[in-house]
Amino acid sequence: MKNICLYFEVHIPYALKRYRFFEIGNDHYYYDDFTNEERVRYLAEKSFLPANKILLEAIKTSSKAFSCAFSLSGAAIEQLEQYAPEVIDSFQELAATGQVEFLAEPYGHSMASIYNEDEFELQVKKHADKIKELFGKKPSAFRNTDFIYSDEIGEKVASMGYKTILMEGAKHILGWRSPNYVYQHAYLPKVKLLVRNYIMSNHVTFDFSNTSWSEYPLTADKFIDWMAASPQEEEIFNIWMGYETFGCVQKDYTGIFDFLKALPRLALNKGLGFVTPSKINDYQPVAALTAPYPMSWQGEEKDLSVMLGNHLQEEAIAKLYSVTERVNLCKEKNLKRDWLHLQCADYFRFMSFKQAWGSSFESPYDAFINYMNILSDFLLRVEAEYPTSIENEELNELLKTINDQEKMIAQLEKELKAAKKKKKEA
């Protein structure tokens, strides 16, 4: 049976305010609250709430034959909790059906998987804990920021307990292969890889209202027929996109919500099912995929060049991650909060000369200068907590000791809990 894996990314980067050079050392608040609230309310009312309502109805009317998956970035969760809590409520209502899966990702929507493994692991854990707090279940599948993936990253994710990883269907990785199968990690056969069918996904996000597109108009019937007519052995269609596709990228008047409403019913009528990423245990991988270098879903090249392709981006991110050890030792809540937010990959993409969509800055240079002014103030705050006179080696040893102690405490608490349970049962 052919199945559709429908997945949506919900990510809302914090808008940074215009931060001038003379504010460095004087103003430690970096965010444009008015823009953030306006943006979140717009997304909530135009996209998230109406789309969630349609998905909930699809689950109910299909007798739970319909299912889908989401990943919500830490920034999206925090801002929805602050400015549109009713959206969180609607996601919780979806979660309660048992038909909607929430994936793990780095909390800060960061590129920590490239720059610092320990930071990467800390963020994934923080995000997984938040998802469990909100929706009652820890994630069992993982997707990285912007689908950044490599064999090495996959190995690190597997070491954290995730056996299903989502990745982009880049041509230089797939080659002649189809994305419509389950694959496995290059040298860890128990780790399954789901590959995004970016052509079909992008038809919804970018081509839906494009009257010059050769296949216009895109109807739900046509979309389902393409999948139904594919070779019988193709077993899973990974249709993944940003959730703002519905109502924002494609406006309500285009008929995008009618498309979303019709899709589940027409798919089920054609004999296609729906599956979420962690529900692929019965699928046998057809081959291993090798990704020796990091890739992503950004740009035509599907690499990291949109986020790390010029000297501005390289300088900014190198300075940011140079204080990782110091920040992880800090206890000051506002500093820790800013650390997570400033790692957001979008800020480095805004410095791109190739693809800086979504940027409010006039040029990549303006984005860079604004970010570096903020970063300069942030580094001064870190310096006040842990001066650069302390060598990184000393900090690493101190951090290791603290982490070891925390792990030991957690283990002892676990053993104590088990002993109490055993005594009670006796």
Side-chain angles (χ1 to χ4, degrees):
M1 180 179 180
K2 295 180 180 181
N3 282 300
I4 301 171
C5 178
L6 200 58
Y7 154 89
F8 307 107
E9 176 196 64
V10 180
H11 171 54
I12 315 170
Y14 278 91
L16 301 177
K17 69 181 182 182
R18 302 289 170 150
Y19 193 92
R20 312 301 179 186
F21 178 79
F22 62 81
E23 295 175 281
I24 298 172
N26 298 310
D27 181 1
H28 304 321
Y29 192 76
Y30 311 137
Y31 313 104
D32 183 342
D33 290 339
F34 176 80
T35 297
N36 286 322
E37 181 174 7
E38 186 178 53
R39 179 188 296 168
V40 172
R41 291 305 315 172
Y42 178 80
L43 286 166
E45 293 165 11
K46 297 294 184 181
S47 178
F48 302 162
L49 288 173
N52 279 359
K53 184 178 179 181
I54 289 171
L55 296 182
L56 183 62
E57 185 65 21
I59 292 169
K60 291 178 178 178
T61 57
S62 68
S63 300
K64 295 191 174 183
F66 172 73
S67 60
C68 63
F70 288 91
S71 64
L72 282 66
S73 71
I77 291 171
E78 289 182 7
Q79 292 184 87
L80 288 171
E81 286 180 321
Q82 182 175 1
Y83 300 121
E86 67 273 26
V87 175
I88 297 294
D89 293 341
S90 69
F91 277 122
Q92 290 173 331
E93 193 173 3
L94 285 171
T97 66
Q99 297 301 109
V100 175
E101 179 178 351
F102 293 88
L103 277 58
E105 67 168 74
Y107 189 91
H109 200 77
S110 71
M111 291 184 282
S113 59
I114 304 294
Y115 283 90
N116 192 291
E117 282 194 359
D118 292 336
E119 175 67 19
F120 178 51
E121 185 171 355
L122 286 171
Q123 287 195 33
V124 174
K125 183 181 184 305
K126 181 178 177 66
H127 185 268
D129 290 344
K130 185 64 176 179
I131 292 298
K132 184 178 181 182
E133 175 192 326
L134 288 175
F135 307 116
K137 187 178 179 180
K138 269 201 169 184
S140 56
F142 177 85
R143 79 109 213 192
N144 202 2
T145 302
D146 290 346
F147 291 94
I148 295 173
Y149 178 80
S150 70
D151 296 337
E152 186 177 353
I153 292 171
E155 182 179 3
K156 178 63 179 177
V157 172
S159 74
M160 291 187 267
Y162 297 96
K163 300 303 180 186
T164 303
I165 302 174
L166 279 62
M167 62 181 288
E168 174 71 344
K171 291 180 181 178
H172 67 277
I173 300 299
L174 277 176
W176 54 268
R177 301 179 183 91
S178 166
N180 305 326
Y181 295 95
V182 175
Y183 293 91
Q184 68 187 39
H185 185 277
Y187 47 85
L188 298 173
K190 291 184 179 180
V191 178
K192 294 181 178 179
L193 303 176
L194 290 179
V195 183
R196 177 175 178 253
N197 188 320
Y198 73 88
I199 293 176
M200 292 196 69
S201 301
N202 288 349
H203 284 331
V204 180
T205 301
F206 302 113
D207 297 327
F208 186 81
S209 60
N210 179 11
T211 56
S212 63
W213 180 42
S214 60
E215 294 290 344
Y216 180 85
L218 178 61
T219 63
D221 287 282
K222 184 185 294 185
F223 198 66
I224 295 301
D225 284 345
W226 287 342
M227 288 182 269
S230 67
Q232 190 58 42
E233 60 272 16
E234 292 194 345
E235 53 192 359
I236 187 166
F237 295 84
N238 298 306
I239 310 301
W240 307 339
M241 64 198 77
Y243 205 28
E244 70 280 358
T245 292
F246 302 95
C248 292
V249 177
Q250 300 296 336
K251 306 297 185 184
D252 186 4
Y253 63 78
T254 66
I256 192 66
F257 286 118
D258 293 329
F259 175 88
L260 181 62
K261 190 180 297 183
L263 195 68
R265 174 177 52 82
L266 293 173
L268 293 169
N269 288 345
K270 284 279 187 178
L272 277 72
F274 289 88
V275 65
T276 58
S278 66
K279 304 295 185 182
I280 61 165
N281 295 331
D282 295 336
Y283 287 80
Q284 291 302 314
V286 297
L289 290 182
T290 299
Y293 305 106
M295 50 166 286
S296 78
W297 73 346
Q298 294 285 2
E300 293 183 7
E301 298 88 351
K302 306 294 183 185
D303 56 15
L304 303 186
S305 61
V306 170
M307 297 167 285
L308 295 172
N310 63 53
H311 66 282
L312 303 179
Q313 297 163 317
E314 291 171 356
E315 181 180 348
I317 202 163
K319 280 189 177 294
L320 175 68
Y321 281 105
S322 69
V323 295
T324 304
E325 290 81 7
R326 288 171 166 75
V327 175
N328 283 333
L329 286 169
C330 294
K331 300 299 181 185
E332 207 269 302
K333 288 185 179 180
N334 288 336
L335 190 145
K336 299 283 275 190
R337 174 205 64 192
D338 294 337
W339 167 245
L340 284 171
H341 296 337
L342 290 177
Q343 291 182 63
C344 180
D346 297 72
Y347 302 143
F348 304 100
R349 183 172 50 76
F350 294 160
M351 303 174 198
S352 173
F353 293 100
K354 299 171 66 174
Q355 188 179 19
W357 53 266
S359 175
S360 61
F361 297 96
E362 293 181 4
S363 73
Y365 291 107
D366 290 333
F368 171 75
I369 291 169
N370 197 75
Y371 183 85
M372 292 305 285
N373 285 341
I374 289 172
L375 186 58
S376 295
D377 182 81
F378 177 78
L379 295 178
L380 288 176
R381 293 163 62 198
V382 176
E383 172 76 12
E385 294 272 339
Y386 285 95
T388 51
S389 57
I390 304 174
E391 295 293 333
N392 274 342
E393 289 76 9
E394 294 178 61
L395 290 170
N396 281 327
E397 286 301 316
L398 180 57
L399 188 59
K400 184 177 184 300
T401 300
I402 293 172
N403 287 338
D404 289 344
Q405 288 174 344
E406 289 177 348
K407 288 178 182 177
M408 183 178 292
I409 290 170
Q411 180 62 31
L412 290 172
E413 287 177 345
K414 184 178 179 182
E415 291 174 3
L416 180 61
K417 186 177 180 181
K420 286 181 177 178
K421 184 179 180 182
K422 188 176 181 180
K423 183 179 179 181
K424 188 176 180 181
E425 290 174 349

